[in-house]
Amino acid sequence: MKKLSIFAILICIAISAFSVTYNLGLSPLKTEVEMYPGDIQTFELNLVNGTLADVNYQLEIGTFTLDKNGAYIYLTKDSTYTFSCANWIKFPNNEINLNVRALQTSKIQISIEVPRSVRYGGDYYAMVWANFIPKENTPTSSNATGTGISIERRFRFGSIVHVTVKGRPANSKLALEGIEIVNLDAIATSTQRGLRISAIVKNSGDTSFRPTGDYLIVSSNNKVWGRGDLTMDHTDLVMPQIEREMYALYDRSLPAGEYTVKINLKSGERFLSHKEETFSMIESTSASKPLDVNVLLSPSEITGDVKAGTNQMGKFELSNREFSTISATVDTVTLSMDENGYWIFGSQVDDVKLYPDNFTLREDQKRVIPFSYKVPQDATGLYAFALRIKTSVENSSNLSTFYIPVMMRITGTTRYNFEITNVEKIMPSTPTDKAFLRVWIKNTGNTFTNFNIIYDIVDPQMNYLTLQAQYLSESGFSIFPSVERYVDIPIGNYKIVKTGEYHVPMMITYKGDKNSNQQIKTEITFEITQDDLVRMGSVQS
């Protein structure tokens, strides 16, 4: 792979990753009001311009609906959705074109009038859109923001309006249409175990609901094997004339037999619907496909700050999720990390004491296991090891091993720093591939931390391709001292149409002592050739 140039700028960067496009916006993101038929209310929205030049916005009212998975479907201005409150909303004096001065925020008043003809209480929704209108660039004019960076694209910001109409509730037309049971144990590619229980909820009425659901699993002899709540992705909203999926993941392996899952649907305290589905486990799934012993460990990792030469105590909890007794043995091993960020568990460590280190747990039993250790007097930066838990089910020879990393920063001795050692441009080779930058980051400090990357992508004409600075990961990346690991920054998701040198201003954020938030600014560049454009255009949509 071709190595690309790297510029590490620790104090400031020539192109700020946090200065332009995402300083435009509309707030708040959601407004909720309660009203009766015939009521009129007003509320305020804020149009934000954080750039160094005036910005024009165009306001409009729209609406939206949801798909089965809860993703928003934004409708065009010409579309109609009978169950929206879009027609209830008006701008003062019908003023829809607004200019917001540089570094200013303008407040706009919006009024809502609920028609007296609305017969039932319920939830109604609409969208207020603020369309950003870029200025035309001419050879004699400064570009759109006056900062040396132009914004060529039109884009819009939305704010949801949620009106709860008080009064007699609508007749419920929310019903369970069907139940599906998927045995995850029988799917070789599944990373989960147990069952996936899903139910289709259909709203054939004219008002929205936020239903809740629960399930109960019973066997043919009426023994209860499990219960829990159903959830929905993205939002729990079920709008009129749409179907939504509610589901739950049951994480236990059922023995062979006949079972029934019973599902209840409610809205607040109102019972709406009930449905049952019978299914069979023809053979023990644990026997048909080898699985780890089903246990829960809490926490998944242990971190903290300690002083060198001190005695320390810790603890973790082990819960038995099997339907039989399990045995467990606990000891400790060395801990390190590879370039992919995966843990490396090494040889046994003898100076950690566990209380106890060997025990059994009955079905659904849990136990807290304390442990103690002494931090060496000469320890600096990091003291780390891993708890190793070996478990087996009663009358079974299968052994499952689990680990809990323990990582302690040595206070007064820690150093934090990062170095970008290499950048590789990975172009797509198949229709399913996406272009990305593989960035190698080395922890040149002396302790572990969790870091993340916030980045923008800027084309050769200094136009931002990102609407706002992007976080590379929701949870971040753990890294040990002296470890060099890579992270991938996607570039195939953006409209890259020009050859030349692209800039990626970025900020490495990380956790310091006592989990304090720290940051380092830096920048990388990469070249896009005509061949790259052809490859990206020919295999990417």
Side-chain angles (χ1 to χ4, degrees), residues 147-419:
T147 62
I149 302 172
S150 63
I151 307 172
E152 293 184 341
R153 295 184 297 131
R154 286 176 173 259
F155 48 85
R156 63 181 182 175
F157 305 93
S159 178
I160 295 175
V161 179
H162 172 196
V163 179
T164 299
V165 178
K166 309 292 285 185
R168 183 162 63 94
N171 294 325
S172 171
K173 295 184 180 180
L174 201 68
L176 291 165
E177 290 290 295
I179 298 175
E180 183 181 20
I181 310 295
V182 177
N183 180 7
L184 300 175
D185 290 354
I187 303 176
T189 58
S190 175
T191 58
Q192 295 169 316
R193 67 186 303 148
L195 304 173
R196 187 182 192 276
I197 303 166
S198 66
I200 300 300
V201 181
K202 183 176 181 180
N203 185 356
S204 55
D206 55 6
T207 187
S208 298
F209 285 91
R210 292 184 178 275
T212 58
D214 59 72
Y215 71 89
L216 181 73
I217 300 174
V218 298
S219 56
S220 55
N221 61 358
N222 289 324
K223 177 182 177 180
V224 175
W225 289 81
R227 67 180 77 228
D229 295 325
L230 299 173
T231 187
M232 286 186 276
D233 286 333
H234 301 297
T235 176
D236 59 358
L237 182 64
V238 183
M239 300 181 77
Q241 307 304 315
I242 70 167
E243 295 181 349
R244 292 292 313 278
E245 181 189 37
M246 304 183 76
Y247 68 93
L249 298 173
Y250 174 72
D251 67 346
R252 306 181 75 169
S253 299
L254 293 172
E258 295 286 329
Y259 300 88
T260 300
V261 61
K262 303 179 180 182
I263 292 181
N264 294 314
L265 191 67
K266 296 194 301 182
S267 178
E269 297 301 319
R270 295 173 59 197
F271 175 82
L272 298 179
S273 185
H274 173 84
K275 199 173 185 65
E276 299 183 3
E277 183 78 14
T278 300
F279 63 98
S280 299
M281 307 297 286
I282 298 177
E283 63 178 355
S284 172
T285 54
S286 294
S288 63
K289 174 184 150 186
L291 295 168
D292 284 333
V293 177
N294 195 357
V295 298
L296 290 179
L297 289 168
S298 179
S300 59
E301 64 179 37
I302 300 172
T303 63
D305 299 272
V306 298
K307 292 182 179 180
T310 58
N311 294 312
Q312 299 292 326
M313 290 288 296
K315 63 181 180 179
F316 69 95
E317 184 179 84
L318 178 66
S319 302
N320 180 12
R321 299 285 292 163
E322 294 285 349
F323 294 114
S324 58
T325 299
I326 68 169
S327 61
T329 302
V330 187
D331 62 3
T332 54
V333 295
T334 59
L335 179 68
S336 57
M337 179 181 285
D338 68 11
E339 65 181 18
N340 299 302
Y342 297 135
W343 299 117
I344 300 174
F345 304 107
S347 57
Q348 187 170 345
V349 176
D350 296 325
D351 55 355
V352 179
K353 307 300 181 184
L354 295 126
Y355 312 98
D357 59 3
N358 197 312
F359 54 91
T360 60
L361 292 176
R362 299 185 303 275
E363 176 185 344
D364 286 327
Q365 186 182 5
K366 61 180 64 174
R367 181 165 188 164
V368 174
I369 299 93
F371 61 92
S372 65
Y373 59 95
K374 182 173 183 178
V375 182
Q377 187 67 47
D378 58 352
T380 59
L382 173 66
Y383 180 68
F385 58 89
L387 297 161
R388 179 170 61 183
I389 303 98
K390 298 179 180 179
T391 60
S392 62
V393 178
E394 188 177 42
N395 300 322
S396 172
S397 59
N398 290 334
L399 186 70
S400 298
T401 303
F402 305 91
Y403 296 91
I404 300 178
V406 179
M407 300 165 287
M408 295 294 159
R409 291 176 289 259
I410 311 301
T411 57
T413 69
T414 54
R415 290 182 290 102
Y416 297 90
N417 204 9
F418 297 90
E419 177 184 345

Side-chain angles (χ1 to χ4, degrees), residues 419-459:
E419 177 184 345
I420 298 178
T421 59
N422 190 26
V423 179
E424 295 176 338
K425 180 181 66 181
I426 313 293
M427 299 306 295
S429 57
T430 69
T432 59
D433 288 344
K434 292 284 188 179
F436 60 89
L437 299 178
R438 176 155 291 175
V439 182
W440 294 83
I441 296 178
K442 184 177 182 179
N443 181 357
T444 55
N446 68 348
T447 190
F448 84 96
T449 188
N450 183 278
F451 75 93
N452 209 337
I453 289 179
I454 310 173
Y455 68 94
D456 270 315
I457 298 179
V458 185
D459 75 8

Side-chain angles (χ1 to χ4, degrees), residues 113-134:
E113 181 176 2
V114 181
R116 295 186 180 277
S117 59
V118 175
R119 297 174 54 195
Y120 299 110
D123 295 290
Y124 299 83
Y125 294 84
M127 292 290 295
V128 177
W129 292 110
N131 298 284
F132 166 72
I133 306 173

Side-chain angles (χ1 to χ4, degrees), residues 479-493:
I479 191 168
F480 261 37
S482 302
V483 168
E484 185 178 3
R485 65 170 296 183
Y486 65 82
V487 295
D488 293 335
I489 298 178
I491 58 175
N493 299 330

